[in-house]
Amino acid sequence: MKQSDDWHLTDALHYDQGRGDPFAAAVRATRMPMVITDPAKFDNPIVFCNEAFQQLTGYDREEIIGRNCRFLQGPDTDEASISRVRVAIQSGHDVEADLLNYRKDRSTFWNALYLSPVRDESGIIRFFFASQMDVSERVLSQQAITDKKVMVEREVDRRTADLRAALEAKTLLLHEVDHRVKNNLTMIGSLLRLQVRTIDDPDVAAKLDSMLERVDALAVVHRQLYQSSDLARFDLGTFVHNLAIDVVGASGRTDIHLHLDTRQLYVDAAHASALGLILNEILTNAIKHAFDNGKSGHLSVVVDDQSSMGIISICDDGPGMPSTKRTRSIGTSLITRLARQARAEATWRDNAPGTCVTITFPRSETET
Ligand SMILES: Nc1ncnc2c1ncn2[C@@H]1O[C@H](COP(=O)(O)OP(=O)(O)OP(=O)(O)O)[C@@H](O)[C@H]1O
Ligand SMILES: [Mg+2]
């Protein structure tokens, strides 16, 4: 059959079902809403729509044919999606878009539009073929999921803020406790100092002085605890650095040369007092026993953070440890007991000349 110049596929599609082209019949009968538009006509109007399209939109064929597809759009249709479709039509490309469309009764549905140009042999676009699908359920449930997600995220943010506030409150409280402990220790120190002044026996006075130094060392531990932003960890490296300066300074000795090779080294805050007291015993021993009778010398403090355990060595170049140790001294038994408590180990070795005391202890496993 010879086709006239203005022959159109749409004419074929207007044939009643079963009488024309079997593909045309299929397009008419399918449950998928479909339209064909004719770009050769003004404003690219719909020239064919199937039954399913009429059912989807609520319009009759007469109300559809001859109109541009935009009659399905409404105030809430997304402008960006519309312009994407417009650009695809202008440039002759396929396009997929989910559009909010309006039925005749103004109710809305989400339309999954798939539009593609149909070209003739010479490449000219003869039609645009558009299939549609009501995907309201999918889009609405996606929206519901997105809304839920936003709600959950908001709730998580709120709870995180609550937890952060609770943690800040706890930090403040703990700092307050450490502050008070430090103040009480300072007060105990002042009371002991008053007592020392009334004691004539130099031996007893010296013993009380040693006690005072221990109380002072504990006060320094608590001061550092409440000044730190870290609740779980205590920087023993910085502590021993400052304590060594304090102890040498308090001795009034300018002939003891202090060498510090220290760095930050963290232990669990729970072990701070015990380790702090041990270091105080070792440092005061060096001042008392290594440099007594005005003997000058060198005192070194080295913090080693290279191994899995923390190591601090305090070495002097005094006379070295006596072969027989005093058995009833408080210092040594304090070190033994506190070391057990802090899971630390103290070892003494000859420094030729002098003494080296090394304590090895677990480092804090808490990350900042
Ligand atoms: N660095 C040192 N150099 C030389 N001798 C030391 C050193 N450290 C300790 N000693 C010796 O070990 C002894 C025991 O020390 P320990 O700390 O137990 O007792 P103390 O210092 O004499 O008294 P305190 O009970 O007040 O500490 C000391 O009396 C001293 O003789
Ligand atoms: Mg001692």
Side-chain angles (χ1 to χ4, degrees):
M1 183 180 84
K2 187 180 177 309
Q3 289 167 357
S4 65
D5 283 350
D6 61 348
W7 180 90
H8 277 299
L9 175 63
T10 46
D11 299 330
L13 285 165
H14 279 305
Y15 287 179
D16 286 341
Q17 183 170 337
R19 274 185 50 207
D21 180 329
F23 291 105
V27 169
R28 292 170 68 89
T30 180
R31 279 188 293 171
M32 174 169 273
M34 291 174 178
V35 295
I36 291 173
T37 69
D38 186 348
K41 292 188 171 151
F42 173 71
D43 202 24
N44 193 15
I46 297 173
V47 291
F48 166 81
C49 70
N50 66 0
E51 187 64 33
F53 184 81
Q54 294 169 59
Q55 274 173 19
L56 174 68
T57 59
Y59 290 99
D60 289 336
R61 175 170 283 120
E62 299 71 53
E63 295 170 295
I64 299 168
I65 302 298
R67 296 172 83 177
N68 181 284
C69 285
R70 82 174 74 82
F71 78 100
L72 293 173
Q73 295 163 14
D76 289 333
T77 312
D78 178 37
E79 275 301 327
S81 306
I82 296 171
S83 78
R84 221 156 46 77
V85 174
R86 193 182 306 128
V87 168
I89 291 173
Q90 277 161 8
S91 53
H93 287 130
D94 292 352
V95 66
E96 272 179 74
D98 285 352
L99 293 174
L100 184 73
N101 279 170
Y102 290 70
R103 296 190 185 87
K104 189 177 176 181
D105 63 7
R106 303 314 287 162
S107 61
T108 55
F109 65 98
W110 280 95
N111 188 0
L113 170 73
Y114 178 75
L115 183 130
S116 64
V118 180
R119 295 172 191 275
D120 65 15
E121 285 135 33
S122 58
I124 293 169
I125 296 173
R126 300 292 300 269
F127 302 104
F128 282 98
F129 180 82
S131 67
Q132 349 253 320
M133 209 191 304
D134 183 354
V135 290
S136 301
E137 236 168 75
R138 168 169 65 75
V139 173
L140 293 177
S141 64
Q142 255 173 9
Q143 262 173 6
I145 290 170
T146 310
D147 291 351
K148 253 258 137 38
K149 211 177 127 203
V150 168
M151 250 175 60
V152 168
E153 274 169 4
R154 218 173 279 150
E155 183 62 15
V156 167
D157 283 351
R158 196 181 62 74
R159 296 222 178 152
T160 310
D162 283 355
L163 280 175
R164 202 167 285 138
L167 184 67
E168 267 168 30
K170 189 182 153 203
T171 308
L172 267 177
L173 261 176
L174 262 174
H175 281 170
E176 181 59 27
V177 168
D178 279 320
H179 203 159
R180 288 190 193 178
V181 170
K182 184 245 158 199
N183 285 348
N184 286 345
L185 288 167
T186 310
M187 200 186 289
I188 294 168
S190 307
L191 291 173
L192 281 175
R193 255 176 212 104
L194 281 176
Q195 188 71 71
V196 173
R197 283 198 216 139
T198 66
I199 291 170
D200 297 327
D201 183 334
D203 262 7
V204 178
K207 285 196 167 101
L208 262 180
D209 265 334
S210 295
M211 277 303 162
L212 255 172
E213 282 162 5
R214 286 166 187 141
V215 172
D216 284 346
L218 273 179
V220 175
V221 169
H222 284 275
R223 190 182 62 212
Q224 192 176 313
L225 278 173
Y226 79 69
Q227 283 173 343
S228 161
S229 56
D230 208 329
L231 286 186
R233 311 185 309 164
F234 179 80
D235 180 2
L236 197 66
T238 300
F239 172 83
V240 74
H241 180 105
N242 294 331
L243 186 71
I245 294 172
D246 286 353
V247 167
V248 174
S251 72
R253 302 275 300 266
T254 50
D255 54 347
I256 299 174
H257 304 288
L258 185 59
H259 304 276
L260 294 168
D261 180 10
T262 60
R263 57 209 32 86
Q264 290 184 335
L265 182 60
Y266 286 92
V267 296
D268 285 348
H271 295 154
S273 298
L275 292 168
L277 271 181
I278 292 174
L279 289 167
N280 179 63
E281 292 307 316
I282 299 167
L283 281 166
T284 50
N285 272 356
I287 306 290
K288 266 202 300 190
H289 307 298
F291 308 116
D292 61 350
N293 299 323
K295 182 193 169 306
S296 66
H298 297 267
L299 177 64
S300 79
V301 177
V302 179
V303 172
D304 179 357
D305 65 351
Q306 292 306 298
S307 66
S308 60
M309 296 291 276
I311 301 170
I312 296 179
S313 301
I314 295 169
C315 303
D316 61 63
D317 56 358
M321 296 291 284
S323 46
T324 50
K325 258 190 170 182
R326 277 203 312 127
T327 47
R328 284 178 55 228
S329 61
I330 293 183
T332 303
S333 65
L334 255 184
I335 293 176
T336 315
R337 281 165 196 225
L338 292 170
R340 212 177 299 135
Q341 192 179 313
R343 291 189 284 130
E345 197 188 349
T347 50
W348 282 258
R349 63 180 167 81
D350 190 9
N351 193 30
T355 308
C356 255
V357 191
T358 299
I359 59 163
T360 310
F361 47 88
R363 298 169 65 167
S364 166
E365 281 166 10
T366 317
E367 294 294 324
T368 35

